[in-house]
Amino acid sequence: MSFATNENQQISLYDPSFFLTDRERRMLEKSWAVPFGELVFPAIDEKPFAVLYSSKVSRPNTPVNVLVGALILKELLGGTDDELVESLVFDIRYQVALHTTSFKEQPLSDRSLSRFRARNTAYEEKTGTDLLYECVCSLKEEIAKVQERCQGLKKLDALTIALNIKNLSRLELLYSCTANLAEKIAASSPKLLPEELLRYCDGEEKKRMIDRGRSEKTRGRIRKVTEDAREILALCAGDYDDTSEYHLLLRIIKEQEAASQREEP
């Protein structure tokens, strides 16, 4: 997937915002959508994220400013990944906020946000730079102005929003590594894992944990997955110590514990 900046923001003759009634337009202008679209969205700098994508010509990326803006909206409105994707399709406020009213098809899918966070996490592991964290923190003034003008938004500063996004990225990585080792054990020693831990072999469980999870529960879920991961590692009893799944999960747990210690007040 190659990188391209979002140039598809011209309003078409068939833009749905043209067909609002006067009452609907007044309601839209009083919502959070217009201030967000005027203040936060234009301030999102896409260019630093080019390093997350291939330099070869290929299918273009989902617009980075839409992805970043959507993740910020998710925190301000208290939704989940799934709710956010559905809202962008059916709710014109999200489309106005993210400048997608004229898109033939809304650009987010059920995996767009997860894949974007994963790319960012992989880059941070490689370089030590969290592009998403830096980008969201750089928008602190714009986010504060939107909150001042609008009711119904959570009173979260940019730092808290950035940390919430970072924590979900950590949960995704930790869960994936735990599931990978659980699946390897289940394939070769199906009776070794207790029923409680077999859920890591169920893709639907990951959707419940990640795509349908809310930010206020992320820290608790990180703790729970870490506990389960440690139990799975203990059950290996040396039989899987030479596998990449084992070593990767062990490393991720150590990194998560170190990160948690750094963030403790």
Side-chain angles (χ1 to χ4, degrees):
M1 183 177 290
S2 61
F3 175 79
T5 56
N6 182 11
E7 306 297 340
N8 188 19
Q9 299 181 49
Q10 296 298 318
I11 296 177
S12 75
L13 293 174
Y14 303 103
D15 191 282
S17 62
F18 290 161
F19 302 98
L20 296 175
T21 65
D22 290 341
R23 179 171 178 267
E24 289 170 341
R25 185 169 295 282
R26 287 196 300 271
M27 293 176 69
L28 176 63
E29 291 174 351
K30 289 180 180 179
S31 75
W32 45 263
V34 173
F36 191 95
E38 292 177 347
L39 296 172
V40 177
F41 187 82
I44 298 171
D45 186 3
E46 297 181 280
K47 292 183 179 62
F49 293 91
V51 294
L52 303 185
Y53 300 92
S54 172
S55 58
K56 298 180 180 179
V57 177
S58 58
R59 182 168 60 89
N61 60 293
T62 301
V64 167
N65 49 9
V66 173
L67 288 163
V68 175
L71 289 171
I72 295 172
L73 277 179
K74 175 189 169 185
E75 298 302 323
L76 291 175
L77 296 168
T80 67
D81 278 9
D82 281 356
E83 290 169 348
L84 182 61
V85 171
E86 290 180 4
S87 295
L88 184 59
V89 173
F90 297 111
D91 191 332
I92 196 171
R93 293 176 300 175
Y94 286 79
Q95 297 173 21
V96 168
L98 300 176
H99 293 209
T100 63
T101 54
S102 290
F103 278 49
K104 291 181 179 180
E105 184 174 351
Q106 293 304 311
L108 295 188
S109 69
D110 58 344
R111 304 307 300 159
S112 298
L113 299 172
S114 180
R115 288 178 182 137
F116 182 59
R117 288 190 297 256
R119 286 176 183 272
N120 187 75
T121 298
Y123 183 77
E124 182 185 4
E125 288 185 339
K126 181 179 179 180
T127 67
T129 299
D130 186 338
L131 296 172
L132 253 175
Y133 183 90
E134 292 182 354
C135 178
V136 174
C137 287
S138 73
L139 300 168
K140 61 182 180 180
E141 294 182 4
E142 290 81 4
I143 292 173
K145 288 177 181 177
V146 172
Q147 289 173 318
E148 289 174 4
R149 290 174 55 178
C150 305
Q151 296 182 348
L153 298 178
K154 288 192 171 186
K155 299 301 181 182
L156 303 175
D157 59 23
L159 176 60
T160 302
I161 292 171
L163 285 174
N164 285 348
I165 296 171
K166 190 180 188 73
N167 282 332
L168 184 55
S169 297
R170 288 174 179 169
L171 175 59
E172 285 181 295
L173 180 59
L174 176 61
Y175 189 98
S176 294
C177 292
T178 303
N180 288 342
L181 182 56
E183 289 170 359
K184 189 173 188 66
I185 295 172
S188 57
S189 307
K191 295 183 179 180
L192 184 59
L193 291 179
E195 185 175 349
E196 169 69 14
L197 297 177
L198 281 173
R199 72 179 190 276
Y200 285 97
C201 302
D202 182 2
E204 188 62 25
E205 174 65 14
K206 184 176 182 180
K207 279 184 169 292
R208 185 191 69 79
M209 182 77 72
I210 308 297
D211 300 342
R212 300 167 194 155
R214 299 185 184 279
S215 292
E216 58 266 24
K217 297 183 179 180
T218 300
R219 285 182 179 273
R221 287 177 170 174
I222 288 176
R223 287 193 293 271
K224 174 59 177 170
V225 176
T226 301
E227 292 172 2
D228 291 343
R230 286 193 170 282
E231 185 175 350
I232 291 173
L233 288 171
L235 288 171
C236 288
D239 294 337
Y240 296 87
D241 291 6
D242 60 344
T243 65
S244 59
E245 290 86 353
Y246 180 94
H247 287 286
L248 182 57
L249 179 56
L250 195 62
R251 178 171 68 83
I252 294 302
I253 288 177
K254 290 180 180 178
E255 290 176 356
Q256 171 55 35
E257 290 178 342
S260 297
Q261 291 177 357
R262 289 195 300 269
E263 293 171 7
E264 286 179 358

